[in-house]
Each structure stands twice: as structure tokens, then as C-alpha cells.
């Protein structure tokens, strides 16, 4: 991302309980816009501390002028792998570079936690998201089942 298009006021911070509503709200907004909320979504969005943080995962929040404008989670899969999940951004904050910053911070966080691989699930109708993932270095792989009906693409990144 060029410095020209990135808003310098956007910073990525670790999740705190005060961001729980934003984490849920931002994710529910994009999911509902394109798909429907599924049981695995509800499970994680209603209890991010228990379902993500307490199981060895991480949540990152992009904040601009004190407002959470983007979020993403790293779900611990195994000792060497995290899943990049629940990445969402506020509509009014598009183009500020928050998604790219979150992606780069997620890669660094996963590396620091000892991971050598990141995976993700998505849907190809989410063209801007797929473009971002490719820009971050993810490539497509196949042959993996998903608990989400909406998932039609799996991507991975060797760290």
C-alpha cells in the first residue's frame, strides 16, 4: 500500500473488552450484506474472548481517531497454523488502508506466536477482500472442508 493512500491516523491495536460490540457489529454488517449469519459466526461473535482469545488466538482492531473501523481475528488451528478470520471494516472507512494494516499486523502477530502458516476461508464474490488477500501474499489451495455454507475459496500464506 502506498503511503499516499494510507491514513496515518489508522493504527492497529490489540483487542480489549471495550471493542467487543464493534467486533460483532462490523462482522454482522458485512456478513448480512452478502450472506446470512451462520451458527459458527454467532458462536464466535457472541463470545470472542472465550472462542478466540482463551483458545490461543488473537483479535486485532484498526482504530482511527479513537473509533474502531476494522477488525480481524487469528484463530489458533494448531502449533504452526492460524486462521485469519472475521476480518471486517466499516463502510465509511473504506480506502483508508485499514484492511492492509490489519493483514500485515495479523501476519506479524502469527509469526511472533510461532506460526509458520496462515489460512483463510472466503467467497469469490468478495472481490475487494480476495484482492487484498492476494496483495498480502495469500494463494489459493483446495481440498479442505468448511463449516460455512458461504465458503468457496481457501487461501494460505507461508510465513
Amino acid at each position: 500500500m502506498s503511503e499516499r493512500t494510507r491514513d496515518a491516523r489508522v493504527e492497529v491495536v490489540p483487542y480489549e473488552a471495550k471493542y467487543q460490540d464493534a467486533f460483532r457489529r462490523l462482522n454482522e454488517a458485512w456478513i448480512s450484506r452478502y450472506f446470512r449469519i451462520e451458527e459458527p459466526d454467532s458462536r464466535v461473535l457472541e463470545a470472542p474472548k472465550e472462542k478466540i482469545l482463551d483458545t490461543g488466538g488473537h483479535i486485532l482492531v484498526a482504530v482511527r481517531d479513537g473509533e474502531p473501523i476494522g477488525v480481524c481475528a487469528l484463530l489458533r488451528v494448531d502449533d504452526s497454523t492460524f486462521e485469519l478470520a472475521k476480518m471486517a471494516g466499516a463502510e465509511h472507512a473504506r480506502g483508508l488502508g485499514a484492511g492492509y494494516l490489519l493483514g500485515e499486523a495479523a501476519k506479524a502477530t502469527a509469526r511472533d506466536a510461532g506460526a509458520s502458516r496462515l489460512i483463510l476461508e472466503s467467497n469469490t464474490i468478495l472481490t475487494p477482500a480476495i484482492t487484498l488477500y492476494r496483495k498480502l501474499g495469500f494463494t489459493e489451495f483446495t481440498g479442505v472442508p468448511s463449516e460455512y455454507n458461504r465458503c468457496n475459496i481457501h487461501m494460505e500464506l507461508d510465513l
Side-chain angles (χ1 to χ4, degrees):
M1 165 144 301
S2 76
E3 285 301 312
R4 201 179 52 163
T5 58
R6 185 172 97 59
D7 187 320
R9 294 175 291 175
V10 177
E11 64 176 325
V12 176
V13 299
Y15 177 85
E16 297 176 42
K18 68 181 181 181
Y19 297 124
Q20 183 171 350
D21 183 62
F23 181 71
R24 181 189 47 74
R25 186 177 28 82
L26 289 169
N27 272 287
E28 286 177 350
W30 83 260
I31 296 167
S32 297
R33 180 175 179 188
Y34 295 99
F35 308 103
R36 66 174 183 77
I37 304 290
E38 298 182 48
E39 192 280 327
D41 296 311
S42 298
R43 184 175 58 230
V44 170
L45 296 176
E46 291 171 9
K49 180 183 180 307
E50 295 79 3
K51 299 299 183 185
I52 300 170
L53 302 177
D54 291 350
T55 60
H58 303 270
I59 301 172
L60 302 171
V61 182
V63 178
R64 181 177 183 256
D65 298 331
E67 176 193 3
I69 60 167
V71 294
C72 74
L74 288 168
L75 307 174
R76 171 72 73 179
V77 175
D78 58 36
D79 288 344
S80 63
T81 307
F82 278 98
E83 178 184 353
L84 179 65
K86 300 298 177 248
M87 190 170 206
E91 286 287 324
H92 71 275
R94 291 233 165 124
L96 298 178
Y100 184 79
L101 289 174
L102 281 167
E104 287 294 326
K107 288 166 42 176
T109 300
R111 265 191 222 102
D112 290 347
S116 58
R117 182 174 180 237
L118 269 178
I119 60 172
L120 65 84
E121 299 179 329
S122 192
N123 188 292
T124 53
I125 69 165
L126 303 171
T127 306
I130 301 301
T131 300
L132 172 63
Y133 300 144
R134 291 189 198 292
K135 185 174 183 177
L136 289 166
F138 284 87
T139 57
E140 189 173 344
F141 73 103
T142 59
V144 179
S146 175
E147 65 179 336
Y148 292 95
N149 292 323
R150 66 179 175 262
C151 176
N152 72 355
I153 185 172
H154 289 85
M155 301 181 86
E156 66 182 340
L157 171 68
D158 289 330
L159 299 171

